[in-house]
Amino acid sequence: MRTFEFSRAADVGQAIALHARSPDTVFLAGGTTLLDLMKLDVMQPAHLVDIHKLKLDQIDVQSDGRVRIGAMVSNTDLARHAHIQQHYPALSQALLSGASTQLRNKATTAGNVMQRVRCGYFRDGISPCNKRVPGSGCAAIDGLNRNVHAVLGGSKDCIAAHPSDMCVAMIAIGATIHAQGARGVRDIPFADFHLLPGDTPWKEHALATDEMITHITLDAPMPGSRSAYLKLRDRGSYQFALASSAVIVARDGNDIRDIRIALGGVSTKPWRARDAEAMLRGKPLSAALIRDAAAASMAGAQSYGQNGFKILLGQQAVARNLSRLVA
Ligand code: SF4
């Protein structure tokens, strides 16, 4: 049995100070990823800093229309918040499509952003996996890669898909991650937070080792917009996306005034389809335009064998979601 030190922080400053005691320290929030990976012996932190007691569980609508979400707000509380349901339906739907009720009650907003990949080779603790053991190889590229592996954003060193539903909605909405560390506070655009695997797949995000997320700010809702999250998966609940989309669209008559499209399940990070958005913006809606934009949203996708069907499924996720929103 592995032993580890356990500390409990009363405030953010104390959490950061406790974290500095050992380079092998991790923050414990909901624990829905971390405790699993510790039980599997995939993560072996020497020191856990429990941040349950931090007063970071508020959702505040600001005077400029943006929404400030504390890092410790549970996925359930965020999904069920009246302002989120009314003004950010894609976010509420994405959260409620993830995991199970029990997990959503424990999982936190910051923890959702920080969750790790579901690749079976990463989690089995023995297979070649560059993310777990740098330089050991990637068993998934020529292995079992149907379910939780990406066709967008992969590299020769890692093709694990980012597993979050919430993050797909957030990158479509536009958001800022606020971090605090020993050197002060820092704002990170949501789109820059998650990193492509490249040749360093163990580097997953833009946080420094001594930083923690304190809150996330959503951009103000797009005026006059409708939004939805569509998740395509093998079964109707408690299952990761094979392909998903978050779409936010505002129209002037039959013309698309503005639009945001993001994809999940098909990409190594939450994926914004900016070329598809540009193709649609300012244009009159038609079935042909939706089809072409859906194809553009998956431009550059690469099949690794079993997961090749995701290239068409990702297009379906975009086309069906947008078609329903404008029907
Ligand atoms: Fe590891 Fe990534 Fe390859 Fe999975 S896809 S085995 S996480 S390197």
Side-chain angles (χ1 to χ4, degrees), residues 309-320:
F309 73 102
K310 289 189 176 187
I311 298 173
L312 276 178
L313 199 68
Q315 296 181 34
Q316 281 292 312
V318 171
R320 284 169 54 183

Side-chain angles (χ1 to χ4, degrees), residues 117-123 127-133 136-141 148-149 156-161 197 201 204:
V117 300
R118 310 304 297 195
C119 172
Y121 301 113
F122 170 72
R123 298 171 76 89
S127 297
C129 173
N130 290 318
K131 189 179 282 293
R132 179 169 33 75
V133 182
S136 63
C138 172
I141 287 183
V148 289
H149 293 90
K156 65 177 178 40
D157 290 326
C158 182
I159 57 168
E204 297 175 346

Side-chain angles (χ1 to χ4, degrees), residues 11-13 15-16 19 26-29 51 54-57 68-73 108-115 162 166-167 170 175-182 184-190 193-194 204-217:
D11 55 44
V12 172
I16 292 166
H19 193 285
V26 294
F27 294 118
L28 172 65
I51 56 175
L54 306 194
K55 302 295 183 198
L56 299 174
D57 58 353
R68 186 187 197 278
I69 305 163
M72 296 298 293
V73 171
T108 64
T109 302
N112 195 318
V113 171
M114 296 292 290
Q115 68 177 289
H162 194 273
M166 181 195 82
C167 292
M170 283 191 173
T176 304
I177 290 179
H178 306 273
Q180 186 169 334
V185 297
R186 193 160 71 98
D187 296 343
I188 307 167
F190 198 91
F193 186 82
H194 296 99
E204 297 175 346
H205 53 74
L207 276 188
T209 50
D210 68 333
E211 288 179 319
M212 64 179 295
I213 297 172
T214 55
H215 59 287
I216 295 174
T217 305

Side-chain angles (χ1 to χ4, degrees), residues 48-67:
L48 293 190
V49 177
D50 180 1
I51 56 175
H52 278 96
K53 300 290 184 189
L54 306 194
K55 302 295 183 198
L56 299 174
D57 58 353
Q58 297 296 311
I59 301 171
D60 297 304
V61 181
Q62 301 180 336
S63 57
D64 59 4
R66 298 190 302 158
V67 178

